[in-house]
Structures are given as C-alpha cells and as structure tokens.
Amino acid sequence: MIVLPCTLPLAFVIVPMAMGKKPKKGLGMAIMFGLGLSLTLSLYGLFIAIVGKSLGVSGAIGQATVFSRVLFIIGGLAALIFGLSELKLIKFKAPSYSGSYPAFITNQKDYLKAFFLGLFLGNAGVGCPNPLFYVLLGYIATLGSLSQGWWLGFIHGVGRATPLIFLAILGMLGVNAVTAISKKE
C-alpha cells in the first residue's frame, strides 16, 4: 500500500521529521505517527461497525433485503467511479485536504506533533482515499461488531504505518529510500 499515490505522500511527512533527530527520538516519532494513523483508522472501523449494526447490514450477506441491495449497489458504484477515475477514463476528483497543517499540530513538541499528524493525515489518505480501506469498511459493516471493527481498523493502520516506519528508519541510517520509490512511480 505504500506505493499508492494515496499513501506515499505520508512518507514525505514522517521521514524528514525522523531524519533530523537522534535515532531513538526519530524512531519514537515515527511510531507515534503510526499510532496516530492507526487510531484514526480504528475510529473509522468503530464508526462503520456501529452504522452496520444499527442498520442491520450484518444480515445482508445471508438475507439480501432491498435496503442491503441498495447499499451494495451504492458501494459498487463508488468503487467503479473511483477505479475509472484512477485509470483516467473519467474525470472525478475525490474530496481531499490540501491546506497547511492546523497551528494546533505544528505548535506541539516533537512526539505530540508526530502523533497528531498521524491522527490528522491518517484520515483515509492524502490526496485520495486508500481503495483497500473501503473494502475493509464494507466488511466491517457486515460484521456489525464494535470490537472487531475497531481492531480491524487499527490493524489496517498498523499495516499502513509499518512501511512508513521502515522508511523513517532507513532515512535515519542515511538511506533515502523515499526518493528512490517516488522515482519508480
């Protein structure tokens, strides 16, 4: 997932932050960034589990009601539109945030800054949402389990943060892998 245009820009945030620090502090900042990112995605998982449970989507797989069929059609159309736009077959701009970081975040000390940036930027992606996350959210909705929704969102966040942390470690060791990855894209 790191080479997707939805996730790779996160490396350009955390790697430079970690590179300018001592190894222990840089690693701590990268981990705090990953924790913030994972917590944001876990909250999405929890919210979607609540919605899925409230709407009875958990029964949609076995007993496809009219309501659940409409939800599946909406989800399928959203995935189709996103896919066609990524292939540049249609023009569609997904909502995204392109402003500067809030002053509340930039005024924090290093560890809190990294954590809050992870919370803020873990908000479904940078530039575009991560398509795999939508598939996971659909699955979470059908489960209708709050604990599983939170946990699956958190684990997905850990999966997205792990390569970022690895790239930060390489950066602290003097290997700028972010530049090499961005050139291959």
Side-chain angles (χ1 to χ4, degrees):
M1 290 186 294
I2 189 66
V3 295
L4 290 174
C6 310
T7 307
L8 184 61
L10 295 176
F12 294 102
V13 173
I14 191 57
V15 172
M17 283 179 62
M19 283 176 67
K21 309 295 182 220
K22 293 183 179 178
K24 186 177 177 181
K25 186 169 189 174
L27 178 60
M29 289 175 64
I31 289 171
M32 291 300 287
F33 183 86
L35 179 63
L37 187 143
S38 298
L39 285 176
T40 297
L41 296 179
S42 68
L43 291 174
Y44 276 113
L46 179 64
F47 175 74
I48 292 299
I50 290 169
V51 170
K53 186 173 185 171
S54 299
L55 296 177
V57 177
S58 60
I61 299 299
Q63 308 169 10
T65 64
V66 173
F67 180 72
S68 61
R69 287 181 184 161
V70 169
L71 288 177
F72 285 133
I73 289 169
I74 291 170
L77 286 174
L80 179 65
I81 289 169
F82 182 78
L84 291 174
S85 71
E86 286 294 301
L87 294 171
K88 308 239 185 285
L89 296 174
I90 63 170
K91 191 170 189 156
F92 174 75
K93 180 150 173 67
S96 65
Y97 181 81
S98 60
S100 62
Y101 306 128
F104 166 76
I105 293 175
T106 57
N107 294 336
Q108 300 297 319
K109 297 201 185 244
D110 289 340
Y111 290 112
L112 280 177
K113 183 188 298 185
F115 176 74
F116 285 128
L117 279 172
L119 280 174
F120 182 68
L121 296 174
N123 193 19
V126 174
C128 63
N130 190 312
L132 178 60
F133 192 54
Y134 287 137
V135 173
L136 183 61
L137 290 177
Y139 176 68
I140 289 170
T142 63
L143 290 175
S145 166
L146 305 184
S147 61
Q148 286 182 329
W150 187 91
W151 183 243
L152 287 171
F154 187 81
I155 291 300
H156 180 76
V158 169
R160 286 179 67 181
T162 300
L164 295 171
I165 294 168
F166 178 69
L167 290 172
I169 291 169
L170 286 176
M172 289 182 296
L173 294 173
V175 178
N176 193 349
V178 175
T179 305
I181 290 171
S182 65
K183 285 181 181 175
K184 293 190 189 258
E185 196 167 321

